Amino acid sequence: MDTKDLSERIEAGGAAKYHEANAAKGKLFARERILRLVDKDSFIEDGRFGNALAGDLPADGVITGSARIAGRPVCLLANDSTVKAGSWGARTVEKMVRITEQAYANGVPMVYLVDSAGARITDQVELFPGRRGAGRIFYNQVRASGSIPQVCALFGPSAAGGAYIPAFCDVVAMVDKNASMYLGSDRMVEMVTGEKTTLEAMGGAKVHCTESGVGHFLCADEDEALAVVKRYLSFLPDNWEQAPPVTEPGEAPEVDLRAMVPDSERQAFDMRKYVKGLLDDGDFFEVHARWAKELVTGFGRLAGKPVGVVGNNSMFKGGVLFVDSSDKAARFVQLCDAFNIPLLFLADVPGFMVGSAVEKQGIIRHGAKMVSAISEATVPKICVVVRKAYGAGLYAMAGPGFGPDATLALPTAKIAVMGADAAVNAVYARKIAAIEDESERDEFVRSKRSEYEADIDVVRLASELVVDSIVEPERLRDELIARYAAAAGKNREFSRRRHGVTPV
């Protein structure tokens, strides 16, 4: 057998008609995706001849190997949807198991370029149930989670059990209109439940990036998804034992942070703009931008050093914390803590949502998950009360009792069990109702509101050492840079135990 000719046929992938069908959908060939992602001439392929004797299964439908991205080592796998729709056979699974084991053993990031119809039912005995069956891939992902970065770009389907590959990754970039994740196809769903749906409506990119939260980035095309992979890795170290990559310090944005925050807490403002006003060159890489938008999460840099940002955005649902935003925060905080990225909390939070709907959804449990994640985070973390931090919202945003390296307050800050209006109503509701004269009633409410606001005045809070400092907005960026530098060598021990029992 001419191995050179065989190697070339393997490299070509599946039949021309499948390449043409993919191109019509705006999809690249799997090998082209790899070329566009990694540094030139850096890819070294493993298992190219996997299942070569089958004749019609080039590389058995998955390309695996190691490469470099921006000069840094990675391992990767890429499903080839021109070979039986990227489905998994026994050698496919073995190759995926091996490359995930290699990434973990070498302490380098693992990149998943996913486009697969799932397992080949005809090969299920060989690929599904055994010790090195498909389940081993997920086991390897779980073991590697928090040890090495794992990032997924999803270009087509990720079906059935294969849908868990993206779910176990740190972040998932999904190409709009082509990418999908689902445990059962639309046909299976109709057969089992009677529901008539489509893959796009049930598990398309928009669904997962805006409703379920399984997707993190909704991308217009494949190049954008590949760019997300590169940019995400630019903030992360190779593994949990290393420090995040540092760049040359960027410029301080020329913005008026003071003017951004309205005097009235009833008036919303966009926390994303405030975040950009603090970070180097105003550059903010937002994660989960389309899901649970009342909370902002993402990466940026201060003086060239990566920082993870968690902020309340009053432009959406008043910045109140809901079930999804609690989960969003908990996951992002755990991600940053795993990879040694300091955390910045920008609080403008009325608290957690109340009412029968959210109680049935488990708001207490989800809120406890968020508070647990923030408590357990041992990276340098700073809480800045931008405007308000009421009730358990203060706790959820790494308030004074949760081990922050500093709690800072802007002059606009208010910290209290609840806002003034709610507090006055809670304490004086009957007395207010008993005052018949409207002007007298308004004056009574105004007086009690003023008393309450004087009680929670930011200077008093600083006097009582609730906050460590009151910082003028123009000085906040420099203050943060200095305080993170001071906390860089902190002891990161947390508790005497194997792991906590996290509310889930």
Side-chain angles (χ1 to χ4, degrees):
M1 183 178 292
D2 185 341
T3 55
K4 184 174 182 294
D5 178 66
L6 176 59
S7 180
E8 290 175 353
R9 283 190 281 119
I10 290 170
E11 188 159 346
K17 63 181 180 180
Y18 299 122
H19 286 271
E20 292 165 3
N22 278 349
K25 298 176 184 176
K27 296 173 69 172
L28 299 170
F29 180 36
R31 293 185 183 275
E32 178 64 23
R33 290 167 183 157
I34 294 172
L35 290 175
R36 295 192 185 193
L37 176 65
V38 307
D39 297 350
K40 186 178 180 181
D41 299 326
S42 70
F43 180 59
I44 302 172
E45 186 173 355
D46 293 320
R48 173 184 283 237
F49 294 93
N51 215 7
L53 298 181
D56 61 345
L57 296 170
D60 210 27
V62 68
I63 303 155
T64 60
S66 57
R68 290 187 174 270
I69 296 176
R72 297 169 57 198
V74 300
C75 288
L76 63 84
L77 66 82
N79 301 117
D80 181 358
S81 61
T82 69
V83 179
K84 284 193 178 293
S87 60
W88 300 0
R91 279 74 166 190
T92 320
V93 168
E94 178 61 25
K95 288 172 67 173
M96 293 165 74
V97 168
R98 289 187 186 187
I99 197 64
T100 50
E101 289 176 342
Q102 180 180 326
Y104 178 70
N106 294 350
V108 300
M110 181 69 213
V111 178
Y112 303 82
L113 306 181
V114 177
D115 188 359
S116 171
R120 298 172 199 155
I121 301 299
T122 53
D123 298 352
Q124 63 175 311
V125 174
E126 293 83 7
L127 73 86
F128 174 66
R131 291 177 182 271
R132 290 184 70 82
R136 192 70 182 186
I137 301 167
F138 311 138
Y139 172 87
N140 288 349
Q141 285 190 274
V142 172
R143 185 172 63 157
S145 179
S147 177
I148 57 172
Q150 298 184 84
V151 55
C152 173
L154 188 52
F155 304 103
S158 186
Y164 287 106
I165 282 185
F168 286 126
C169 288
D170 305 338
V171 295
V172 183
M174 301 184 71
V175 178
D176 194 19
K177 296 183 176 63
N178 281 338
S180 59
M181 282 184 272
Y182 49 88
L183 297 183
S185 70
D186 47 355
R187 286 180 297 174
M188 179 182 289
V189 168
E190 184 174 3
M191 181 180 72
V192 173
T193 71
E195 178 190 2
K196 291 187 177 181
T197 185
T198 64
L199 295 183
E200 183 67 21
M202 178 176 61
K206 278 194 174 74
V207 169
H208 285 304
C209 291
T210 63
E211 296 182 56
S212 78
V214 182
H216 299 76
F217 302 93
L218 183 64
C219 303
D221 56 34
E222 297 201 359
D223 282 326
E224 183 180 344
L226 294 171
V228 165
V229 172
K230 293 180 183 180
R231 194 168 182 206
Y232 173 72
L233 292 176
S234 75
F235 290 99
L236 276 288
D238 291 346
N239 58 63
W240 71 286
E241 294 180 304
Q242 296 183 6
V246 177
T247 63
E248 287 296 316
E251 296 295 323
E254 294 184 8
V255 296
D256 187 350
L257 292 176
R258 187 183 296 272
M260 278 192 194
V261 183
D263 292 331
S264 171
E265 62 185 62
R266 294 187 180 89
Q267 185 177 345
F269 75 98
D270 195 336
M271 186 62 81
R272 293 167 298 188
K273 294 180 180 179
Y274 200 91
V275 171
K276 291 178 182 178
L278 290 171
L279 299 175
D280 288 8
D281 302 319
D283 187 23
F284 180 48
F285 182 48
E286 189 173 358
V287 177
H288 261 150
R290 297 170 181 267
W291 182 60
K293 293 190 284 186
E294 64 273 17
L295 190 87
V296 175
T297 56
F299 298 104
R301 284 187 166 84
L302 287 170
K305 297 180 179 179
V307 62
V309 181
V310 180
N312 311 108
N313 196 344
S314 58
M315 294 290 291
F316 303 95
K317 300 179 181 178
V320 175
L321 292 167
F322 284 76
V323 167
D324 283 347
S325 42
S326 298
D327 287 354
K328 177 177 174 176
R331 181 178 173 84
F332 184 75
V333 167
Q334 288 177 334
L335 171 62
C336 291
D337 190 53
F339 293 113
N340 312 315
I341 299 174
L343 284 159
L344 171 60
F345 296 87
L346 298 173
D348 180 27
V349 58
F352 286 91
M353 189 58 185
V354 297
S356 60
V358 290
E359 293 296 355
K360 291 174 182 177
Q361 293 167 1
I363 186 68
I364 297 170
R365 175 167 50 84
H366 290 272
K369 185 192 308 182
M370 178 178 178
V371 171
S372 293
I374 287 162
S375 301
E376 292 174 344
T378 58
V379 289
K381 52 189 180 185
I382 295 176
C383 170
V384 179
V385 183
V386 176
R387 186 162 61 169
K388 61 184 179 296
Y390 292 154
L394 173 66
Y395 298 167
M397 294 300 289
F402 290 82
D405 294 276
T407 303
L408 306 178
L410 298 188
T412 47
K414 296 176 183 177
I415 299 175
V417 172
M418 61 185 72
D421 289 338
V424 170
N425 184 67
V427 177
Y428 300 104
R430 290 184 179 179
K431 189 165 185 178
I432 292 170
I435 301 174
E436 294 183 1
D437 183 77
E438 184 176 349
S439 59
E440 182 182 349
R441 184 168 60 248
D442 291 345
E443 175 58 26
F444 177 82
V445 170
R446 188 201 62 76
S447 172
K448 294 303 178 185
R449 180 187 172 94
S450 296
E451 289 177 12
Y452 186 82
E453 290 188 337
D455 189 51
I456 62 170
D457 180 73
V458 67
V459 174
R460 183 186 175 193
L461 294 173
S463 175
E464 297 290 344
L465 302 181
V466 173
V467 299
D468 296 295
S469 185
I470 303 171
V471 182
E472 300 300 323
E474 298 80 9
R475 285 283 310 154
L476 181 56
R477 174 180 155 88
D478 290 341
E479 180 98 5
L480 291 171
I481 290 170
R483 286 184 179 273
Y484 281 123
K490 67 181 288 189
N491 185 305
R492 292 191 58 189
E493 294 179 1
F494 176 68
S495 178
R496 188 180 66 251
R497 66 187 191 190
R498 182 165 286 110
H499 58 76
V501 182
T502 305
V504 294

